[in-house]
Amino acid sequence: MSDVRHVLVLPDRDAAEEAAQALGERFETDEEPRLLRDALAGEDDAEDAQWLLLVRDERARLDPGELDAFAGEWEGWREEP
């Protein structure tokens, strides 16, 4: 098994939570993605934060282009490694 991970960047917590739920349903992931808040150094305002979904893909079966389009449904994107 490989240690492939995808990072989806989403604009807010609501979008990230919705995407996390939909991700498992659409792509049948083996485990739930991790949800992380990513704020710039010194940023305390939640409105200035981005939210990250970390998706493990040990079998390397998730298509990066499909994940990018999926994140785009919530005005997000897939971060290139």
Side-chain angles (χ1 to χ4, degrees):
M1 289 190 187
S2 67
D3 191 26
V4 175
R5 293 185 184 167
H6 302 281
V7 177
L8 305 182
V9 181
L10 297 148
D12 58 52
R13 184 182 187 116
D14 291 339
E17 289 175 343
E18 289 176 25
Q21 182 177 5
L23 185 77
E25 295 169 4
R26 185 174 304 175
F27 294 100
E28 298 180 10
T29 56
D30 294 333
E31 61 185 66
E32 284 190 44
R34 288 185 58 203
L35 180 64
L36 301 169
R37 180 178 181 263
D38 182 38
L40 298 172
E43 292 291 336
D44 292 328
D45 188 356
E47 291 183 28
D48 292 332
Q50 294 176 326
W51 289 82
L52 308 177
L53 286 181
L54 303 179
V55 183
R56 288 184 74 183
D57 184 19
E58 294 178 347
R59 294 181 274 175
R61 62 183 184 84
L62 299 175
D63 179 83
E66 288 181 25
L67 288 173
D68 192 37
F70 173 81
E73 295 175 22
W74 286 274
E75 299 180 19
W77 65 90
R78 179 185 159 273
E79 190 71 27
E80 289 293 328

XYZ file of all heavy atoms in Angstrom:
650
model
N 0.825 -1.183 0.000
C 0.000 0.000 0.000
C 0.873 1.252 0.000
O 1.901 1.285 0.641
C -0.912 0.038 1.216
C -2.007 -0.954 1.188
S -3.174 -0.587 2.531
C -4.190 -2.022 2.375
N 0.416 2.256 -0.695
C 1.151 3.514 -0.737
C 0.582 4.474 0.306
O -0.433 4.204 0.917
C 1.053 4.129 -2.129
O -0.268 4.527 -2.383
N 1.256 5.586 0.460
C 0.805 6.587 1.425
C 0.360 7.843 0.685
O 0.842 8.933 0.953
C 1.921 6.901 2.420
C 1.411 7.721 3.584
O 0.208 7.641 3.893
O 2.211 8.456 4.183
N -0.542 7.679 -0.288
C -1.026 8.804 -1.069
C -2.059 9.558 -0.247
O -2.956 8.965 0.346
C -1.651 8.317 -2.401
C -2.255 9.480 -3.159
C -0.622 7.585 -3.232
N -1.905 10.889 -0.234
C -2.873 11.752 0.450
C -3.234 12.888 -0.475
O -2.394 13.403 -1.203
C -2.292 12.308 1.738
C -2.064 11.226 2.741
C -1.606 11.733 4.041
N -1.345 10.567 4.873
C -0.693 10.614 5.996
N -0.247 11.753 6.434
N -0.503 9.534 6.695
N -4.475 13.275 -0.421
C -4.966 14.412 -1.183
C -5.399 15.481 -0.193
O -5.943 15.167 0.869
C -6.161 14.018 -2.054
C -5.859 12.910 -3.007
N -5.182 13.109 -4.190
C -6.132 11.586 -2.958
C -5.065 11.962 -4.826
N -5.631 11.028 -4.094
N -5.178 16.736 -0.547
C -5.600 17.848 0.287
C -6.583 18.686 -0.519
O -6.248 19.195 -1.583
C -4.395 18.721 0.719
C -4.875 19.915 1.533
C -3.385 17.893 1.493
N -7.801 18.792 -0.012
C -8.810 19.639 -0.621
C -8.925 20.903 0.218
O -9.066 20.831 1.441
C -10.164 18.926 -0.680
C -10.186 17.566 -1.382
C -11.602 17.019 -1.409
C -9.605 17.643 -2.767
N -8.838 22.053 -0.420
C -8.889 23.340 0.259
C -10.286 23.923 0.045
O -10.738 24.061 -1.088
C -7.820 24.312 -0.295
C -7.867 25.641 0.442
C -6.434 23.681 -0.215
N -10.963 24.247 1.144
C -12.329 24.753 1.073
C -12.435 26.086 1.809
O -11.671 26.354 2.738
C -13.285 23.719 1.648
C -13.246 22.442 0.787
C -13.475 21.213 1.602
C -14.200 22.554 -0.355
N -13.378 26.915 1.391
C -13.415 28.295 1.882
C -13.912 28.488 3.315
O -13.596 29.491 3.941
C -14.345 29.003 0.898
C -15.245 27.928 0.396
C -14.392 26.693 0.362
N -14.706 27.554 3.832
C -15.224 27.735 5.188
C -15.586 26.389 5.800
O -15.597 25.369 5.130
C -16.420 28.697 5.215
C -17.561 28.241 4.328
O -18.002 27.075 4.448
O -18.031 29.053 3.507
N -15.883 26.424 7.085
C -16.147 25.187 7.810
C -17.396 24.471 7.296
O -17.398 23.246 7.159
C -16.283 25.470 9.306
C -16.456 24.206 10.099
C -16.650 24.460 11.587
N -16.642 23.191 12.267
C -15.735 22.831 13.155
N -14.771 23.642 13.477
N -15.804 21.652 13.728
N -18.460 25.222 7.014
C -19.679 24.591 6.520
C -19.418 23.832 5.229
O -19.849 22.694 5.065
C -20.790 25.625 6.302
C -21.316 26.194 7.608
O -21.142 25.541 8.668
O -21.898 27.289 7.578
N -18.694 24.472 4.300
C -18.371 23.814 3.032
C -17.522 22.576 3.272
O -17.755 21.523 2.662
C -17.643 24.780 2.103
N -16.561 22.673 4.171
C -15.684 21.540 4.458
C -16.454 20.377 5.074
O -16.240 19.215 4.712
C -14.556 21.978 5.379
N -17.360 20.667 5.995
C -18.146 19.596 6.618
C -19.068 18.929 5.607
O -19.200 17.702 5.586
C -18.934 20.139 7.803
C -18.041 20.479 8.982
C -18.784 21.134 10.137
O -19.917 21.619 9.942
O -18.205 21.174 11.233
N -19.710 19.730 4.748
C -20.574 19.170 3.713
C -19.761 18.321 2.737
O -20.179 17.222 2.359
C -21.289 20.280 2.948
C -22.362 20.976 3.742
C -22.971 22.145 2.973
O -22.922 22.139 1.730
O -23.490 23.057 3.626
N -18.615 18.833 2.327
C -17.765 18.104 1.394
C -17.249 16.808 2.011
O -17.183 15.778 1.334
C -16.605 18.983 0.937
N -16.896 16.831 3.280
C -16.401 15.629 3.949
C -17.458 14.528 3.940
O -17.148 13.362 3.680
C -15.981 15.953 5.376
N -18.690 14.902 4.196
C -19.763 13.921 4.190
C -20.011 13.404 2.777
O -20.127 12.198 2.551
C -21.042 14.520 4.758
C -22.173 13.516 4.828
C -23.424 14.112 5.458
O -23.491 15.297 5.767
N -24.410 13.278 5.652
N -20.068 14.297 1.811
C -20.349 13.914 0.428
C -19.195 13.118 -0.185
O -19.421 12.253 -1.036
C -20.632 15.153 -0.411
N -17.973 13.391 0.246
C -16.808 12.709 -0.302
C -16.902 11.199 -0.107
O -16.703 10.430 -1.031
C -15.537 13.249 0.353
C -14.235 12.725 -0.208
C -13.927 13.427 -1.523
C -13.107 12.941 0.767
N -17.219 10.791 1.116
C -17.344 9.363 1.406
C -18.444 8.707 0.609
O -18.308 7.569 0.157
N -19.548 9.415 0.416
C -20.666 8.860 -0.346
C -20.330 8.754 -1.827
O -20.631 7.755 -2.462
C -21.899 9.735 -0.157
C -22.418 9.739 1.269
C -23.460 10.806 1.528
O -23.856 11.518 0.578
O -23.878 10.939 2.694
N -19.691 9.775 -2.381
C -19.414 9.791 -3.814
C -18.245 8.893 -4.205
O -18.292 8.197 -5.206
C -19.135 11.200 -4.301
C -18.963 11.217 -5.823
C -18.816 12.576 -6.409
N -19.915 13.451 -6.067
C -19.964 14.732 -6.400
N -18.985 15.270 -7.091
N -20.971 15.485 -6.047
N -17.183 8.915 -3.407
C -15.963 8.198 -3.785
C -15.741 6.915 -2.986
O -14.750 6.226 -3.216
C -14.744 9.114 -3.632
C -14.756 10.270 -4.584
C -15.158 11.527 -4.151
C -14.381 10.118 -5.900
C -15.164 12.604 -5.021
C -14.394 11.191 -6.782
C -14.786 12.441 -6.337
N -16.617 6.607 -2.048
C -16.506 5.395 -1.228
C -15.109 5.259 -0.626
O -14.411 4.277 -0.833
C -16.873 4.163 -2.046
C -18.307 4.193 -2.549
C -18.687 2.984 -3.369
O -17.915 2.003 -3.420
O -19.774 3.016 -3.954
N -14.702 6.280 0.109
C -13.392 6.267 0.749
C -13.378 5.265 1.898
O -14.405 4.950 2.489
C -13.031 7.669 1.263
O -14.058 8.128 2.132
C -12.843 8.640 0.111
N -12.180 4.764 2.202
C -12.025 3.769 3.261
C -12.173 4.357 4.655
O -12.579 3.677 5.581
C -10.662 3.082 3.148
C -10.548 2.243 1.878
O -11.588 1.773 1.385
O -9.431 2.077 1.379
N -11.814 5.610 4.804
C -11.941 6.262 6.105
C -12.360 7.705 5.905
O -12.203 8.266 4.826
C -10.633 6.178 6.895
C -9.467 6.850 6.227
C -8.167 6.638 6.995
O -7.713 5.492 7.065
O -7.628 7.632 7.501
N -12.885 8.290 6.963
C -13.334 9.683 6.878
C -12.139 10.606 6.702
O -11.086 10.389 7.295
C -14.072 10.074 8.159
C -15.463 9.521 8.245
C -16.221 10.130 9.411
O -16.140 11.357 9.608
O -16.877 9.366 10.120
N -12.308 11.637 5.887
C -11.217 12.603 5.750
C -11.051 13.408 7.031
O -11.991 13.576 7.796
C -11.677 13.496 4.595
C -13.140 13.310 4.502
C -13.451 11.957 5.054
N -9.835 13.862 7.272
C -9.566 14.731 8.425
C -9.885 16.159 8.036
O -9.559 16.606 6.949
C -8.101 14.628 8.837
C -7.786 13.298 9.490
C -6.370 13.239 10.004
N -6.148 14.309 10.964
C -4.948 14.789 11.249
N -3.876 14.326 10.663
N -4.815 15.764 12.134
N -10.490 16.868 8.931
C -10.875 18.258 8.722
C -9.965 19.143 9.573
O -9.872 18.958 10.787
C -12.339 18.443 9.127
C -12.957 19.817 9.005
C -12.994 20.258 7.553
C -14.363 19.794 9.570
N -9.273 20.084 8.922
C -8.345 20.961 9.627
C -8.596 22.413 9.248
O -8.907 22.718 8.098
C -6.898 20.626 9.253
C -6.424 19.213 9.544
C -5.095 18.971 8.876
C -6.304 19.016 11.036
N -8.421 23.295 10.203
C -8.516 24.737 9.946
C -7.118 25.238 9.634
O -6.167 24.955 10.361
C -9.059 25.455 11.178
C -9.179 26.951 10.993
C -9.769 27.570 12.261
N -9.926 28.984 12.103
C -9.055 29.890 12.543
N -7.972 29.510 13.188
N -9.278 31.166 12.352
N -6.979 25.973 8.556
C -5.686 26.503 8.140
C -5.776 28.019 8.079
O -6.407 28.572 7.182
C -5.304 25.943 6.770
C -3.955 26.419 6.296
O -3.039 26.544 7.133
O -3.813 26.656 5.080
N -5.185 28.678 9.039
C -5.193 30.138 9.076
C -3.785 30.648 8.817
O -2.801 30.011 9.183
C -5.681 30.635 10.428
N -3.699 31.796 8.199
C -2.398 32.416 8.001
C -1.832 32.811 9.357
O -2.569 33.081 10.308
C -2.540 33.649 7.116
C -3.058 33.400 5.706
C -3.321 34.727 5.016
C -2.070 32.574 4.914
N -0.536 32.868 9.454
C 0.110 33.244 10.716
C -0.451 34.573 11.208
O -0.528 35.541 10.464
C 1.605 33.350 10.525
N -0.879 34.601 12.447
C -1.401 35.816 13.045
C -2.877 36.062 12.771
O -3.441 37.019 13.264
N -3.517 35.215 11.982
C -4.940 35.395 11.671
C -5.784 34.692 12.730
O -5.704 33.484 12.882
C -5.273 34.815 10.288
C -4.651 35.560 9.141
C -5.240 36.938 8.933
O -6.379 37.183 9.341
O -4.542 37.783 8.370
N -6.580 35.438 13.448
C -7.475 34.855 14.438
C -8.914 34.820 13.951
O -9.743 34.124 14.507
C -7.416 35.642 15.749
C -6.072 35.476 16.441
O -5.475 34.398 16.311
O -5.635 36.429 17.097
N -9.210 35.582 12.936
C -10.569 35.695 12.423
C -10.923 34.444 11.625
O -10.287 34.123 10.628
C -10.684 36.939 11.543
C -12.112 37.224 11.133
O -13.007 36.419 11.459
O -12.339 38.253 10.481
N -11.939 33.735 12.057
C -12.355 32.496 11.383
C -12.741 32.740 9.931
O -12.628 31.846 9.107
C -13.517 31.861 12.139
N -13.168 33.946 9.615
C -13.556 34.239 8.236
C -12.347 34.265 7.311
O -12.489 34.113 6.098
C -14.312 35.565 8.175
C -15.672 35.485 8.819
C -16.432 36.794 8.690
O -16.184 37.533 7.730
O -17.267 37.050 9.560
N -11.157 34.460 7.844
C -9.948 34.502 7.032
C -9.289 33.130 6.905
O -8.256 33.012 6.259
C -8.942 35.486 7.630
C -9.431 36.916 7.521
O -10.202 37.208 6.590
O -9.057 37.733 8.377
N -9.858 32.125 7.508
C -9.268 30.789 7.483
C -9.772 29.994 6.284
O -10.859 30.228 5.771
C -9.613 30.035 8.765
N -8.951 29.050 5.873
C -9.369 28.046 4.906
C -9.502 26.744 5.681
O -8.907 26.563 6.735
C -8.316 27.867 3.814
C -8.130 29.072 2.944
C -7.011 28.871 1.946
O -6.036 28.210 2.226
N -7.170 29.461 0.791
N -10.282 25.847 5.133
C -10.457 24.552 5.761
C -9.921 23.489 4.828
O -10.129 23.533 3.619
C -11.930 24.323 6.099
C -12.331 25.217 7.218
C -12.694 26.526 7.147
C -12.344 24.874 8.592
N -12.943 27.022 8.408
C -12.740 26.031 9.313
C -12.078 23.711 9.304
C -12.862 26.035 10.690
C -12.201 23.727 10.676
C -12.602 24.879 11.356
N -9.204 22.539 5.384
C -8.572 21.494 4.610
C -9.215 20.155 4.914
O -9.506 19.848 6.071
C -7.083 21.402 4.946
C -6.265 22.684 4.866
C -4.837 22.408 5.292
C -6.322 23.282 3.475
N -9.419 19.368 3.864
C -9.816 17.978 4.020
C -8.630 17.134 3.600
O -8.160 17.244 2.462
C -11.008 17.626 3.123
C -12.359 18.149 3.522
C -13.406 17.658 2.522
C -12.741 17.702 4.910
N -8.112 16.334 4.496
C -7.019 15.419 4.187
C -7.626 14.049 3.922
O -8.277 13.474 4.794
C -6.035 15.339 5.342
C -5.412 16.656 5.783
C -4.471 16.433 6.951
C -4.696 17.324 4.645
N -7.386 13.546 2.716
C -7.995 12.290 2.292
C -6.890 11.281 2.023
O -6.043 11.493 1.152
C -8.824 12.496 0.999
C -9.508 11.206 0.602
C -9.820 13.619 1.165
N -6.888 10.186 2.767
C -5.931 9.104 2.517
C -6.442 8.265 1.361
O -7.620 7.966 1.262
C -5.756 8.236 3.753
C -4.985 8.963 4.839
C -4.729 8.092 6.005
N -3.689 7.139 5.628
C -3.267 6.172 6.425
N -3.788 6.015 7.599
N -2.313 5.359 6.036
N -5.519 7.897 0.501
C -5.849 7.108 -0.687
C -4.787 6.030 -0.857
O -4.003 6.035 -1.805
C -5.916 8.047 -1.900
C -6.357 7.355 -3.178
O -6.950 6.260 -3.092
O -6.119 7.925 -4.243
N -4.736 5.104 0.086
C -3.681 4.092 0.120
C -3.632 3.246 -1.145
O -2.571 2.787 -1.538
C -3.838 3.208 1.357
C -3.605 3.966 2.643
C -3.817 3.112 3.869
O -4.381 2.012 3.750
O -3.413 3.563 4.949
N -4.762 3.032 -1.762
C -4.791 2.209 -2.983
C -4.641 3.062 -4.247
O -4.720 2.541 -5.345
C -6.070 1.391 -3.034
C -6.110 0.360 -1.904
C -7.343 -0.451 -1.954
N -8.391 0.279 -1.227
C -9.640 -0.102 -1.155
N -10.039 -1.185 -1.768
N -10.519 0.605 -0.476
N -4.418 4.366 -4.086
C -4.223 5.303 -5.207
C -5.304 5.122 -6.266
O -5.029 5.056 -7.448
C -2.821 5.133 -5.795
N -6.547 5.092 -5.834
C -7.642 4.885 -6.778
C -8.476 6.141 -7.023
O -9.321 6.162 -7.898
C -8.542 3.741 -6.322
C -9.211 3.952 -5.003
C -10.027 2.736 -4.568
N -10.743 2.985 -3.358
C -11.925 3.581 -3.286
N -12.521 3.970 -4.368
N -12.509 3.784 -2.128
N -8.226 7.215 -6.258
C -8.967 8.459 -6.452
C -8.303 9.303 -7.528
O -7.090 9.528 -7.494
C -9.044 9.243 -5.141
C -9.745 8.529 -3.986
C -9.644 9.362 -2.715
C -11.184 8.240 -4.328
N -9.082 9.759 -8.490
C -8.568 10.559 -9.585
C -8.413 12.013 -9.134
O -9.392 12.629 -8.695
C -9.528 10.472 -10.770
C -9.067 11.308 -11.930
O -8.228 10.823 -12.700
O -9.554 12.454 -12.058
N -7.203 12.565 -9.234
C -6.978 13.952 -8.812
C -7.893 14.958 -9.516
O -8.375 15.904 -8.890
C -5.504 14.203 -9.149
C -4.887 12.849 -9.135
C -5.950 11.915 -9.643
N -8.137 14.771 -10.808
C -9.015 15.686 -11.540
C -10.437 15.654 -11.023
O -11.099 16.697 -10.916
N -10.927 14.460 -10.698
C -12.277 14.340 -10.148
C -12.361 14.976 -8.770
O -13.366 15.596 -8.422
C -12.695 12.868 -10.086
C -12.979 12.266 -11.444
C -13.421 10.815 -11.350
O -13.958 10.405 -10.289
O -13.233 10.095 -12.328
N -11.311 14.829 -7.966
C -11.294 15.460 -6.638
C -11.267 16.974 -6.754
O -11.915 17.667 -5.971
C -10.092 14.966 -5.822
C -10.175 13.536 -5.315
C -8.850 13.129 -4.687
C -11.309 13.365 -4.332
N -10.533 17.500 -7.740
C -10.495 18.943 -7.943
C -11.867 19.457 -8.344
O -12.344 20.472 -7.818
C -9.449 19.299 -8.997
C -9.164 20.783 -9.049
O -9.152 21.438 -7.990
O -8.957 21.298 -10.158
N -12.532 18.752 -9.256
C -13.884 19.149 -9.673
C -14.854 19.049 -8.496
O -15.719 19.913 -8.313
C -14.354 18.273 -10.829
N -14.698 18.018 -7.681
C -15.538 17.831 -6.504
C -15.376 19.022 -5.553
O -16.358 19.611 -5.103
C -15.159 16.520 -5.806
C -15.838 16.299 -4.491
C -17.131 15.817 -4.438
C -15.186 16.572 -3.303
C -17.769 15.624 -3.222
C -15.805 16.379 -2.078
C -17.108 15.900 -2.048
N -14.138 19.398 -5.243
C -13.891 20.537 -4.348
C -14.440 21.822 -4.956
O -14.924 22.700 -4.232
C -12.396 20.671 -4.067
N -14.405 21.930 -6.277
C -14.921 23.107 -6.956
C -16.405 23.318 -6.737
O -16.903 24.446 -6.830
N -17.133 22.252 -6.438
C -18.560 22.369 -6.142
C -18.801 23.216 -4.894
O -19.890 23.742 -4.698
C -19.190 20.984 -5.976
C -19.173 20.169 -7.260
C -19.683 18.757 -7.071
O -20.425 18.491 -6.096
O -19.336 17.909 -7.908
N -17.787 23.347 -4.047
C -17.864 24.177 -2.835
C -16.903 25.361 -2.930
O -16.452 25.888 -1.918
C -17.545 23.337 -1.590
C -18.636 22.426 -1.204
C -19.718 22.718 -0.403
C -18.819 21.077 -1.621
N -20.526 21.619 -0.301
C -20.011 20.597 -1.032
C -18.100 20.198 -2.422
C -20.486 19.303 -1.228
C -18.579 18.924 -2.629
C -19.754 18.488 -2.025
N -16.562 25.746 -4.137
C -15.642 26.860 -4.385
C -14.258 26.605 -3.791
O -13.595 27.515 -3.310
C -16.234 28.181 -3.874
C -17.527 28.544 -4.568
C -18.124 29.836 -4.084
O -17.405 30.655 -3.486
O -19.326 30.029 -4.312
N -13.839 25.355 -3.836
C -12.516 24.966 -3.351
C -11.686 24.356 -4.471
O -12.057 24.432 -5.637
N -10.590 23.742 -4.094
C -9.709 23.093 -5.061
C -8.885 22.016 -4.383
O -8.825 21.949 -3.157
C -8.784 24.137 -5.708
C -7.824 24.774 -4.752
C -6.567 24.351 -4.426
C -8.058 25.949 -3.970
N -6.013 25.195 -3.498
C -6.901 26.189 -3.209
C -9.128 26.846 -3.851
C -6.787 27.254 -2.331
C -9.011 27.909 -2.977
C -7.850 28.106 -2.232
N -8.250 21.181 -5.204
C -7.316 20.165 -4.714
C -5.932 20.755 -4.790
O -5.507 21.250 -5.819
C -7.398 18.907 -5.566
C -6.433 17.832 -5.122
C -6.480 16.643 -6.093
N -5.270 15.887 -5.951
C -4.133 16.121 -6.609
N -4.052 17.086 -7.481
N -3.073 15.372 -6.394
N -5.229 20.724 -3.680
C -3.872 21.248 -3.618
C -2.919 20.229 -4.243
O -2.961 19.045 -3.921
C -3.483 21.506 -2.158
C -2.215 22.243 -1.958
C -2.283 23.694 -2.350
O -3.370 24.288 -2.311
O -1.237 24.228 -2.711
N -2.070 20.711 -5.149
C -1.059 19.827 -5.749
C 0.027 19.532 -4.712
O 0.409 20.424 -3.965
C -0.429 20.487 -6.982
C -1.390 20.563 -8.169
C -1.756 19.206 -8.742
O -0.922 18.273 -8.704
O -2.895 19.092 -9.235
N 0.527 18.294 -4.697
C 1.580 17.948 -3.734
C 2.869 18.702 -3.982
O 3.150 19.177 -5.013
C 1.797 16.456 -3.919
C 1.021 16.042 -5.101
C 0.151 17.171 -5.513
